Amino acid sequence: AASKLEVSMPAVVEAEIGSTARLECNFHIPGNGSYTYINWFYIDHRNNRVRLCHITGTEILEENTDYKGRLSVGEDKALSISKVTVLDTRTFVCQVGAGSHGEGENRTELHVYKVPEAPEITANSAGISVQSSDIPQIAQCVSRNSFPHPNITWHKNGEKLQPEEKKVKIPTTLTRESSGLYTVSSTLFAHVTREDRNSLFYCTVHYWLQGQSHAVESQRVNVTIFYPAEHVKLQVVPSSALVKEGDDIKLVCEADGNPAPVFSFYKRELEDNWQDLSSLADTNSGVLNLHGVNKSSSGLYRCQTLDLDDMRQMEKDVELVVNYIEGVRVKMEPSSPLQEGDSVRLSCDAHSPVALDYQWRDEKGRKVAEGNQLFLSNLTFETSSNFSCKVIAPSVPGLEQSKQVAVAVQGKPRIVAISSPLYVRQDEVVNLTCKAIAFPRPSVHWNVNGTAHEYVENQHIASNLTVRVNHDLLRAGAMCRVSNALGVSEKHIQLLDQKTPESKGVIIVAIIVCILVVAVVGSVIYFLHKKGKIPCGRAGKQDITKPEARKDKIVVEVKSDKVSEEAGLLQGANGEKRSATDQVGQSVVHSAS
């Protein structure tokens, strides 16, 4: 094998359009001989050889061909072609001459390629009817600027679609552009069903590169499908079981066709006549609005649909029940006028198509009992009030009604508060107050003249009398008299003379002065004792009446006949009377000890 000239080349070389293709030429000359020349050729469409260049030693002779200016030869004698185009797809030959070893050659197929652009898919925007007799167009797929041309396949929900007679057609159009690149267009025609309303269609472009298959998928598209309704549903919103008088409700009619049919609404009247309510409804959306429903709104309602495609009609009925409470009444036993101490029974009743609960509340809204009866015993004026029976439908939130009843306890007046005794001063203007409770409403009278003001709250009445205090009023007081048709009550207000503030002030000042005098005397005696002016014990007594002693003068000033008299009453332990001086000295001793 080594005794023969051998030339080896790759069978195929691939290059992308616009890039540089490199064609290698490897050769072996026996005995490590050298080549004499190398020729590069290409085979034209007529199968003729056209020489591109001639290489001898270090010289390269390039021929005048279409490749002139795009060729280059490497040190390994490989031929490079720059800016390849689709026209460069052909066979190239490398020929090697080696003198006495003869001549040898080999060839390479240059394949030029262009990866296709991502496919563009366009869905049918007009919509497709399942009742179409012709096979409708689903979508179109276009792949541009590829070489060589690719193939296009179609898929629905991930499954590949194959042409099928009278069901699926996939025609393809191949166009070669002026650039030599290909544009491939494929269209999918297929029958659809109502289940295809959610189907996703897409196309895939397949091409080969370097001996391997590649694929590029388009976006997924959904196609509008038209199909007749098969079912109609009519419902009350909110639920009919929760509808009460005064509510705003909707009757919602839904059909599973596309497009939605035309809706009509009716209500059954007497003798199986139907009242047309379509003027109150949105016939396109299938909604009938009923505002402020009442008991008479209850009944059978019908929704009727009309498919404009095949003019087929469908209908559905629903029963509307409007829950209500009516005829709320309260009965009081006994019904005769009530007196203090009596008892009464209140009974509440109402009518409704649903179960009812009863509550009793006082006039402040506080719940006092449950059940349809309320028993009140030992009635008083304070018991008198407005009670309400609240009727509730637990199964229908918000459905309730109330009825009030007045429980009035009658009796003669009872005075509950009076401003007595009242301390006053002569000629002072005062307010006399008298408060009573009674029903029927009483009147208040005073036995003295003045300006009266009355205040009424429930069964209470209060009277304030403004008067000026005189001698007669202080002596006799005032009388409050309260009366109604059932009796009279009266009470006396006692007025007491109050001392003037000036006399009280004199007494207080005198007390304060006495306290201050005692405090000063005590301080002086304590000071003299500390200085030794007053010795401790009887033996050391000093005459505090000497004029030359300054502190003695202070003591003399606080002496009084009253002190002398009190000192004369003091006695020693042996029962003998002591002088005032002795008592003062004794007091000092006790204070110091």
Side-chain angles (χ1 to χ4, degrees), residues 211-347:
Q212 293 183 347
S213 176
H214 296 267
V216 180
E217 295 180 354
S218 70
Q219 294 181 339
R220 269 68 170 165
V221 295
N222 177 255
V223 181
T224 301
I225 308 297
F226 299 132
Y227 47 90
E230 295 181 351
H231 305 92
V232 176
K233 180 172 68 173
L234 179 61
Q235 59 182 346
V236 179
V237 180
S239 171
S240 181
L242 301 177
V243 176
K244 63 182 181 297
E245 282 192 317
D247 282 351
D248 295 335
I249 66 165
K250 295 180 181 180
L251 294 181
V252 180
C253 190
E254 297 176 334
D256 60 354
N258 186 39
V262 177
F263 298 92
S264 301
F265 290 89
Y266 304 89
K267 183 179 185 293
R268 187 171 67 181
E269 303 293 345
L270 298 176
E271 299 179 359
D272 206 28
N273 292 323
W274 290 86
Q275 178 187 2
D276 190 354
L277 303 177
S278 299
S279 60
L280 305 176
D282 185 342
T283 56
N284 293 322
S285 63
V287 177
L288 173 63
N289 291 291
L290 298 177
H291 300 284
V293 296
N294 52 37
K295 179 181 177 181
S296 63
S297 303
S298 298
L300 186 67
Y301 290 79
R302 172 171 294 174
C303 170
Q304 191 175 79
T305 66
L306 174 63
D307 193 320
L308 298 179
D309 192 17
D310 58 5
M311 303 306 292
R312 185 170 59 168
Q313 285 187 339
M314 300 181 71
E315 59 188 31
K316 190 70 174 180
D317 297 342
V318 68
E319 186 77 25
L320 172 63
V321 177
V322 179
N323 297 287
Y324 59 90
I325 298 175
E326 65 179 8
V328 180
R329 58 187 181 276
V330 178
K331 181 180 179 182
M332 185 166 61
E333 295 176 324
S335 58
S336 58
L338 301 171
Q339 306 294 327
E340 282 197 302
D342 287 351
S343 298
V344 67
R345 184 185 305 275
L346 304 179
S347 300

Side-chain angles (χ1 to χ4, degrees), residues 1 50-51 91 109 122 175 177 184 198 241 270 276 289-290 295 334 339 342 346 367 416 427 442 473 475 502 584:
V50 178
R51 191 167 75 173
T91 302
E109 296 288 336
T122 305
T175 303
E177 308 294 344
V184 183
N198 297 319
L270 298 176
D276 190 354
N289 291 291
L290 298 177
K295 179 181 177 181
Q339 306 294 327
D342 287 351
L346 304 179
K367 185 169 69 173
V416 295
D427 292 330
L473 185 59
R475 178 180 55 80
E502 288 79 2
V584 172

Side-chain angles (χ1 to χ4, degrees), residues 130-242:
V130 298
Q131 298 176 333
S132 175
S133 57
D134 297 330
I135 303 177
Q137 177 180 323
I138 304 297
Q140 185 181 46
C141 182
V142 178
S143 175
R144 306 180 188 277
N145 298 323
S146 61
F147 189 88
H149 66 81
N151 294 322
I152 295 179
T153 58
W154 284 94
H155 306 264
K156 181 178 77 173
N157 298 329
E159 294 185 3
K160 184 178 179 180
L161 297 175
Q162 299 287 355
E164 188 175 352
E165 187 176 358
K166 296 182 180 181
K167 291 186 178 181
V168 179
K169 293 193 305 181
I170 309 177
T172 300
T173 301
L174 179 63
T175 303
R176 185 159 186 172
E177 308 294 344
S178 58
S179 61
L181 303 180
Y182 289 100
T183 294
V184 183
S185 176
S186 178
T187 306
L188 173 64
F189 295 84
H191 283 297
V192 293
T193 65
R194 63 185 295 119
E195 286 73 23
D196 287 323
R197 64 186 182 275
N198 297 319
S199 293
L200 295 176
F201 296 88
Y202 64 95
C203 62
T204 303
V205 176
H206 303 269
Y207 62 94
W208 287 86
L209 180 62
Q210 296 179 354
Q212 293 183 347
S213 176
H214 296 267
V216 180
E217 295 180 354
S218 70
Q219 294 181 339
R220 269 68 170 165
V221 295
N222 177 255
V223 181
T224 301
I225 308 297
F226 299 132
Y227 47 90
E230 295 181 351
H231 305 92
V232 176
K233 180 172 68 173
L234 179 61
Q235 59 182 346
V236 179
V237 180
S239 171
S240 181
L242 301 177

